Amino acid sequence: MSVVVNAASSTPLRDLHGRGMNPKTDDYNLPADLEEFNRLDLQHRIWVKVMDGHVPFSYEELDHLLQEKDGRRPAIFDLGRGSGIWSIEMAERYPQARVVGFDLVDSQPTTVSTLPQNCTFFTGNVLDGLDTFYNQFDLVHLRMVVVHMRGDAAKREALKQAVGCLRPGGVLVISDLDESFVDENKEILRPTLDHPAADNSHRSWSSRIFNEVDRRTNDGEVVMGKYIESCLAEDGRVDVSSIQHKMFYIPIGWDGGDPVNGPELGRMAYVNFWDLHRAFKPALLRRGIAAETVDDWISKADLEISGTSRRIALPIRGIWARKL
């Protein structure tokens, strides 16, 4: 297998069907090249816009959490930082805080030449353990990380490691997607089926691609958020009474019923998911799915996100909890 270099850093990447993949694990199904990091920056803007902030709760609560206490400097840990844009913006917003971004590959946004002085990046795999960072942070943030972990054991271990990095009283924030897209009435659009007699009128090609990439067998049942919350509730280090969640919906190719912010959000989401369909292609080809089949799925999913054949949205779930 050939090697390419991430244009945003000096990290050697594995080439897979024309895209640069991270060199540390085959379990992460998306590329780690410049094209993907540009998409992740767009995705970041979408999430901040739909949540009206960098976390799923208010800035007032976040400001209180990140106050200096007893002369101790607050600290933020961004696990699975992607390009690092969330880490950088948090470092700029909270200059009194120490901010650490952690990911499988070494990267940063191409628009940023120098990290803020209070921001540091590290590389590694959360599943190898994070003992070096234990008991150091007031806020630990994971966005679109757990959903990419393959198997329940890996998901549970990632959450265990994240909780371990919190100081007592610190808050873990997990922002992730539910498994299926929904229609404009927020009804689940289960993955499309292949057999000729299948009724796909209320099913989704985008849901199908997500299911195929992550090898899900649940026909689009929403289980991810519930599973994350159950893992936190079973962790004796977590204050069970503090576990909360909030749902957000990203309209794709339409305004989501919001005439003010909705049109821009819908346009950004269309570009993001058009790129995401193609970012998933190497993982689908690696599974042995024929290229013409993958291209057919992508063309149908592209039509779906355009907002012309139907109106769809992606539910995302913000979950947060406090460490005892």
Side-chain angles (χ1 to χ4, degrees):
M1 184 172 291
S2 60
V3 175
V4 296
V5 174
N6 182 356
S9 74
S10 58
T11 301
L13 303 178
R14 296 176 297 112
D15 178 83
L16 181 65
H17 299 290
R19 296 296 297 270
M21 312 297 286
N22 80 79
K24 298 187 187 310
T25 177
D26 286 330
D27 289 340
Y28 185 72
N29 289 311
L30 286 168
D33 52 21
L34 178 60
E35 185 177 351
E36 174 63 5
F37 284 120
N38 285 336
R39 186 194 68 79
L40 289 175
D41 284 351
L42 173 61
Q43 178 178 274
H44 166 76
R45 290 169 51 208
I46 293 169
W47 282 65
V48 170
K49 194 171 190 66
V50 77
M51 294 196 304
D52 194 27
H54 286 73
V55 294
F57 49 85
S58 71
Y59 277 125
E60 182 180 4
E61 295 170 272
L62 186 58
D63 293 347
H64 179 73
L65 174 67
L66 296 175
Q67 287 179 341
E68 291 190 17
K69 300 178 181 70
D70 301 322
R72 186 180 68 182
R73 186 184 186 189
I76 301 166
F77 199 19
D78 186 16
L79 281 176
R81 70 175 190 270
S83 73
I85 190 66
W86 187 93
S87 301
I88 291 168
E89 290 184 2
M90 288 291 285
E92 292 172 342
R93 182 177 179 89
Y94 297 99
Q96 79 279 15
R98 170 188 175 226
V99 180
V100 175
F102 186 91
D103 204 273
L104 287 165
V105 297
D106 176 23
S107 64
Q108 67 184 56
T110 55
T111 55
V112 176
S113 58
T114 305
L115 295 180
Q117 289 187 347
N118 59 328
C119 185
T120 309
F121 287 171
F122 291 89
T123 61
N125 189 337
V126 62
L127 298 181
D128 292 336
L130 296 171
D131 299 27
T132 303
F133 300 103
Y134 267 22
N135 303 304
Q136 294 185 29
F137 298 94
D138 301 281
L139 174 66
V140 174
H141 172 258
L142 298 91
R143 184 172 66 192
M144 292 290 285
V145 172
V146 181
V147 71
H148 289 298
M149 297 289 179
R150 187 174 296 175
D152 287 352
K155 291 178 172 63
R156 189 176 293 274
E157 180 62 22
L159 292 170
K160 174 185 172 183
Q161 292 295 327
V163 173
C165 294
L166 286 168
R167 293 167 172 163
V171 173
L172 174 64
V173 175
I174 304 160
S175 297
D176 226 316
L177 54 83
D178 279 350
E179 283 80 348
S180 291
F181 292 76
V182 298
D183 66 13
E184 59 187 313
N185 298 312
K186 299 180 182 176
E187 296 292 328
I188 292 174
L189 294 168
R190 300 182 187 277
T192 51
L193 302 172
D194 284 327
H195 55 79
D199 179 8
N200 284 325
S201 59
H202 203 68
R203 289 178 175 268
S204 162
W205 288 101
S206 295
S207 292
R208 173 67 179 276
I209 289 174
F210 272 59
N211 256 40
E212 293 285 350
V213 168
D214 291 330
R215 304 188 186 196
R216 299 180 187 133
T217 58
N218 60 7
D219 194 34
E221 290 290 341
V222 176
V223 297
M224 178 62 65
K226 296 175 184 177
Y227 178 75
I228 290 173
E229 292 186 43
S230 69
C231 288
L232 295 179
E234 293 167 7
D235 190 321
R237 301 167 297 173
V238 173
D239 178 0
V240 176
S241 68
S242 73
I243 300 173
Q244 299 183 65
H245 84 265
K246 186 175 181 179
M247 296 299 302
F248 305 88
Y249 295 87
I250 300 173
I252 309 170
W254 64 296
D255 67 9
D258 177 359
V260 179
N261 296 313
E264 181 185 7
L265 188 58
R267 287 191 297 270
M268 289 194 299
Y270 171 76
V271 173
N272 175 67
F273 283 96
W274 194 92
D275 289 342
L276 183 60
H277 292 156
R278 285 146 185 83
F280 277 141
K281 186 173 180 178
L284 295 170
L285 294 175
R286 179 173 56 191
R287 287 193 55 197
I289 301 172
E292 56 268 25
T293 299
V294 174
D295 289 339
D296 181 58
W297 291 351
I298 288 175
S299 66
K300 290 173 178 174
D302 286 348
L303 177 62
E304 189 173 78
I305 63 173
S306 68
T308 55
S309 62
R310 63 161 36 133
R311 292 178 167 182
I312 71 170
L314 181 69
I316 60 175
R317 185 185 301 253
I319 302 169
W320 63 101
R322 189 176 298 274
K323 185 177 182 180
L324 291 168

